[in-house]
Amino acid sequence: MDLIEKVESLISLMNENNLAEIEIEEESTKIRLKKNDLSSMPANIQLSSSFQEPLQEGSTKYFPAKKSENNTDIVAPMVGTFYDSAPGAAEPYVSIGDVVEEETVVCIIEAMKIMNEVKAEARGKVVDILVDNGAAIEYGQALFIVEMQGGG
Amino acid sequence: MKFLDPEWHDKLSSTNTVLLDWLKSREKIPPGFVLAALEQTAGHGRYNRHWISKAGRDLTFSFVLSTSNVLEELASLTQAVALGTAAALDTFGFLTQTKWPNDLLVRGRKIGGILSEQSDVQYNDGKAIVVGVGINVNMQDMEPITLIKTATSIRIETGRKYAIKDVLNTILEMLPQWIDRWEEGGFPAIREDWIARCVSVGESVTVGDGTERQSGILAGFGDKGQLLLRVKDGVLREVWAGDVEL
């Protein structure tokens, strides 16, 4: 089954079961589908590009919402625990809709009690946060989706 | 490495946080700089576990190192500092053990801990890493946290009161050789000492991290200091975050 067929069958599955969100992960592919509103279709589709094989030519028309050439992932530079805020801070580093610069600290990853600040290393608007505060994460896992700005 | 003479303050929010701020806002905080507080008002152990010290009762200090190590290599610095601090505490006349990854215990009760934070500011040829150490020095055994037998102090263990500046000097004398060994050989250079001091090696443990917990046999430690947990069917799992629960 190619990627397009997978996405189509997932959309069918979501509709049949009235699901708002679905996520599957295989060796090289991670697909996450999310509806903005249960009554509206088509679904708002995101693909996490770090896990994704290159799309076939022409296939991008199936992914009109968030995934585009202008989106990029901020990925985990190491294994550990994801924290969205500084120790003791009430507010997270970034929220959906925030604009980040390359140097903006977006989260902390803790491994063995060393807190490591992670920078965005991309310029644009945060359109999704893919992990929960306190979650265990793997090396290379996508943490944020950033809609690139400035000619991205 | 060499430490500079510690800079003492009567009261700071958290030595780690202040030192991280200074690295961003001030010039010339050299590697080996030590910041210590007689009283810490907003220290943090891990998230939301506050480490608050009353004036003159406990020791809290932070120091900064420059490192070009990649993040995974850096993780075991905490263990090197724990070993050096444990060796220093032993000179007071009791046996200090470690608990993966960052706690210091005496008779199974916590006497101190290490928490490090890497700053993303460019620092010398690499990145700055701020290492924070907290030691219970003069906490007495009628205080609530000691009554439930989870904490202890140098005073409880020895029956004597100590000047916290002297305790810091003892630790600063011992630490450099451990950090040097770690810088030269990474975790493998300190692994045997770590295993000798660490509680629960070879025993059944639970490792908790936020809402996630996993149990198994603490089989050993990988080359980066990560915990190796033997789970069902003999599978060996690497653990990079969380605490061993006693």
Side-chain angles (χ1 to χ4, degrees):
Chain A
M1 197 186 285
D2 71 24
L3 193 61
I4 308 303
E5 287 169 341
K6 273 182 201 166
V7 171
E8 284 173 346
S9 65
L10 284 173
I11 291 172
S12 304
L13 195 67
M14 287 175 79
N15 287 338
E16 284 161 16
N17 295 286
N18 203 23
L19 299 174
E21 189 172 349
I22 192 166
E23 182 172 351
I24 64 160
E25 189 170 355
E26 295 170 353
E27 247 178 59
S28 60
T29 313
K30 182 175 181 178
I31 302 173
R32 183 168 176 228
L33 304 173
K34 190 177 179 183
K35 292 183 196 173
N36 276 334
D37 182 320
L38 277 179
S39 62
S40 73
M41 282 295 286
N44 179 4
I45 298 165
Q46 299 157 14
L47 281 169
S48 227
S49 63
S50 64
F51 290 91
Q52 177 202 328
E53 290 168 316
L55 293 175
Q56 292 166 12
E57 198 167 342
S59 63
T60 48
K61 67 181 185 225
Y62 288 95
F63 314 108
K66 284 185 178 173
K67 182 62 196 178
S68 73
E69 285 174 4
N70 284 335
N71 284 7
T72 188
D73 292 338
I74 301 173
V75 301
M78 63 188 300
V79 292
T81 304
F82 172 89
Y83 291 108
D84 64 6
S85 54
E91 295 294 317
Y93 285 110
V94 291
S95 302
I96 291 174
D98 285 357
V99 172
V100 295
E101 305 280 331
E102 281 89 346
E103 297 293 305
T104 307
V105 174
V106 291
C107 66
I108 279 181
I109 295 176
E110 181 223 314
M112 293 159 57
K113 301 301 185 284
I114 297 196
M115 309 292 168
N116 301 285
E117 292 181 343
V118 177
K119 287 180 183 175
E121 290 177 0
R123 180 183 297 189
K125 188 167 80 175
V126 175
V127 292
D128 207 353
I129 300 172
L130 304 171
V131 286
D132 294 328
N133 191 36
I137 49 160
E138 298 293 332
Y139 174 82
Q141 182 174 343
L143 307 174
F144 300 86
I145 299 176
V146 173
E147 189 180 270
M148 305 267 269
Q149 290 173 352
Chain B
M1 69 150 307
K2 275 185 83 170
F3 286 115
L4 305 182
D5 286 339
E7 181 175 315
W8 280 94
H9 289 253
D10 288 342
K11 193 187 273 193
L12 290 173
S13 57
S14 143
T15 52
N16 261 27
T17 304
V18 170
L19 192 43
L20 282 165
D21 284 348
W22 286 1
L23 284 165
K24 285 176 182 169
S25 61
R26 292 188 186 186
E27 297 289 314
K28 292 184 183 161
I29 301 281
F33 181 87
V34 181
L35 181 64
L38 289 169
E39 184 177 355
Q40 183 165 266
T41 56
H44 42 265
R46 277 188 83 211
Y47 284 74
N48 301 324
R49 295 185 202 168
H50 292 274
W51 184 294
I52 293 174
S53 57
K54 291 181 189 166
R57 195 188 71 177
D58 301 312
L59 170 63
T60 55
F61 69 97
S62 299
F63 59 89
V64 61
L65 297 177
S66 165
T67 179
S68 52
N69 265 336
V70 297
L71 298 175
E72 276 186 5
E73 293 289 347
L74 205 52
S76 56
L77 171 60
T78 298
Q79 289 152 311
V81 173
L83 286 174
T85 307
L89 293 180
D90 281 359
T91 66
F92 290 91
F94 46 80
L95 175 67
T96 311
Q97 291 185 289
T98 58
K99 182 166 78 68
W100 189 89
N102 70 326
D103 285 331
L104 295 167
L105 308 179
V106 178
R107 295 183 298 123
R109 302 176 190 188
K110 184 162 171 169
I111 197 165
I114 323 294
L115 188 91
S116 309
E117 299 180 53
Q118 195 193 25
S119 169
D120 232 351
V121 295
Q122 208 59 36
Y123 186 66
N124 290 1
D125 290 332
K127 295 283 168 64
I129 174 110
V130 169
V131 181
V133 180
I135 303 293
N136 299 330
V137 178
N138 291 317
M139 179 194 281
Q140 289 181 271
D141 58 8
M142 66 280 279
E143 291 175 48
I145 195 164
T146 58
L147 286 175
I148 56 171
K149 303 200 187 308
T150 59
T152 188
S153 70
I154 299 178
R155 183 173 186 173
I156 291 170
E157 297 303 321
T158 63
R160 277 187 55 194
K161 199 173 174 185
Y162 288 86
I164 63 173
K165 290 185 179 180
D166 292 342
V167 177
L168 176 56
N169 290 338
T170 304
I171 294 171
L172 293 182
E173 274 173 32
M174 197 68 83
L175 272 185
Q177 55 182 293
W178 288 90
I179 294 172
D180 288 345
R181 265 173 72 182
W182 171 82
E183 278 187 329
E184 282 161 26
F187 183 75
I190 59 169
R191 188 199 319 253
E192 277 185 33
D193 293 280
W194 176 263
I195 289 171
R197 273 204 197 263
C198 189
V199 295
S200 304
V201 176
E203 296 172 10
S204 180
V205 294
T206 296
V207 187
D209 182 22
T211 54
E212 294 179 32
R213 300 169 92 230
Q214 46 188 338
S215 297
I217 304 292
L218 201 175
F221 304 92
D223 282 349
K224 311 282 189 279
Q226 74 273 35
L227 187 149
L228 303 176
L229 192 68
R230 193 172 300 284
V231 294
K232 272 183 195 164
D233 304 324
V235 175
L236 212 51
R237 195 174 283 174
E238 292 190 353
V239 183
W240 288 90
D243 297 271
V244 169
E245 296 175 357
L246 290 183

